[in-house]
Amino acid sequence: MELLRTPEAMRAWADGRRAGGVRIGLVPTMGYLHEGHASLVRIAAARGCGKVVASIFVNPAQFGPGEDYEKYPRDEARDLATLRAAGTSAVYLPGVADMYPDGYQTYVEVGDVSQGLCGAARPGHFRGVATVVAKLFLAAKPHVAVFGEKDYQQLAVIRALARDLDFGIEIVGAPIVREEDGLAMSSRNAYLKGDDRIAARCLSRGLFRAKALFDGGERDAGKLVAAARKEIKAEPRAALNYAEGRDPVTLAPLSGEVAAVTILVAARVGPARLIDNVTLGT
Ligand code: AMP
């Protein structure tokens, strides 16, 4: 497994693989990896990528003032072991000064799909995400890039980015990997201790409750969302940020009778801001 620490090294590696006719898969991450991340590497390989490159970069541009950039968990040695075990060919680990050197002044803004939900709660977040992902695409030159549905709005932003800027990269969405008790795996789960860890189950419990109603025939988007919201609000250790029903493709707000809906939730539990979602009816 090769380690590449600068955009130049990443580009040279990618050019070499492309010259050899290899299909490159890219899995961008912020490190502190878990089984959800490993699943993305395996999905890229299963999509016919002869080489899979994972990136590890805690991107300061996507954190707001007062957010957890400084304390975001980091463990490079463990991450490299996880990636090696998952079959990763190369790891791109640029430094902040490599990505944003003095004089850096270029940012990418994706429109409607960046608005609302986490875009409202975290101003500038998706501008930072779109910018860093564009830079990763240009350095790693992948044919395929895999992103988790865990970050559903982010996946929609990246689909728009890849399409609108003609990257010619196939964007693949990967299913959410969960802990046994339903909690969506997340690097930020490391912040959850004791009662907060138990309380964090309320997000997935709410979504599963909505799914049970949908499976039982309920099609009113408002009622499905209300069921998820109720579970989260009933948990005293959780502070609900949002619970919304959106179109699974466009993320446009939905109400009334629906054939398909994605319910997205965000809540703070102790020190952690957690997000989760479920898509019903597709
Ligand atoms: P992060 O390191 O949190 O920025 O996540 C890197 C990639 O892993 C993103 O595409 C995430 O959506 C994806 N990811 C994170 N958690 C999960 C999970 N539990 N299941 C599937 N994909 C995930």
Side-chain angles (χ1 to χ4, degrees):
M1 193 169 75
E2 290 180 64
L3 303 189
L4 309 157
R5 294 196 180 266
T6 64
E8 295 73 24
M10 183 69 255
R11 271 201 307 275
W13 182 91
D15 287 341
R17 302 293 90 67
R18 279 189 167 251
V22 172
R23 194 167 148 87
I24 300 172
L26 172 67
V27 174
T29 83
M30 297 205 301
Y32 214 71
L33 304 179
H34 50 66
E35 180 52 31
H37 298 108
S39 76
L40 306 186
V41 173
R42 291 193 294 267
I43 287 169
R47 288 286 180 135
C49 296
K51 300 278 181 191
V52 179
V53 55
S55 62
I56 300 178
F57 180 62
V58 184
N59 174 33
Q62 71 188 68
F63 288 78
E67 290 189 352
D68 57 346
Y69 174 68
E70 301 295 341
K71 65 171 193 201
Y72 195 84
R74 292 163 167 90
D75 189 341
E76 188 175 306
R78 196 178 59 125
D79 287 349
L80 295 179
T82 302
L83 290 174
R84 195 175 284 112
T88 312
S89 299
V91 187
Y92 181 34
L93 306 125
V96 173
D98 300 304
M99 293 295 263
Y100 302 110
D102 284 348
Y104 189 91
Q105 55 192 282
T106 304
Y107 293 87
V108 181
E109 300 249 12
V110 175
D112 290 350
V113 86
S114 294
Q115 307 300 311
L117 304 168
C118 286
R122 305 182 67 190
H125 171 65
F126 287 119
R127 176 182 191 253
V129 168
T131 300
V132 81
V133 170
K135 288 169 66 69
L136 295 171
F137 284 175
L138 291 166
K141 306 186 183 186
H143 299 82
V144 175
V146 187
F147 295 85
E149 290 176 353
K150 158 82 184 350
D151 300 273
Y152 201 88
Q153 189 179 15
Q154 170 174 282
L155 175 58
V157 166
I158 288 159
R159 286 192 196 283
L161 167 78
R163 184 192 65 221
D164 293 350
L165 294 186
D166 306 313
F167 273 105
I169 297 169
E170 183 190 350
I171 306 300
V172 174
I176 300 174
V177 177
R178 298 181 178 279
E179 302 287 356
E180 267 183 25
D181 67 356
L183 178 67
M185 288 191 183
S186 166
S187 308
R188 289 191 169 94
N189 292 350
Y191 300 149
L192 297 169
K193 307 291 178 209
D195 290 345
D196 284 338
R197 172 62 186 80
I198 295 167
R201 294 177 188 162
C202 68
L203 283 83
S204 56
R205 196 164 62 233
L207 296 171
F208 297 158
R209 179 81 197 110
K211 179 175 174 3
L213 288 177
F214 187 90
D215 291 345
E218 180 61 69
R219 290 293 179 273
D220 184 278
K223 288 187 182 153
L224 294 165
V225 172
R229 182 181 293 124
K230 190 174 160 198
E231 287 288 338
I232 299 171
K233 287 208 145 186
E235 170 48 63
R237 303 184 83 85
L240 180 71
N241 177 192
Y242 62 73
E244 293 194 35
R246 297 291 186 104
D247 180 278
V249 176
T250 65
L251 286 187
L254 291 182
S255 60
E257 292 278 306
V258 290
V261 60
T262 300
I263 300 177
L264 303 103
V265 297
R268 180 164 290 279
V269 180
R273 181 177 184 278
L274 304 176
I275 58 172
D276 201 348
N277 66 84
V278 69
T279 297
L280 307 173
T282 53

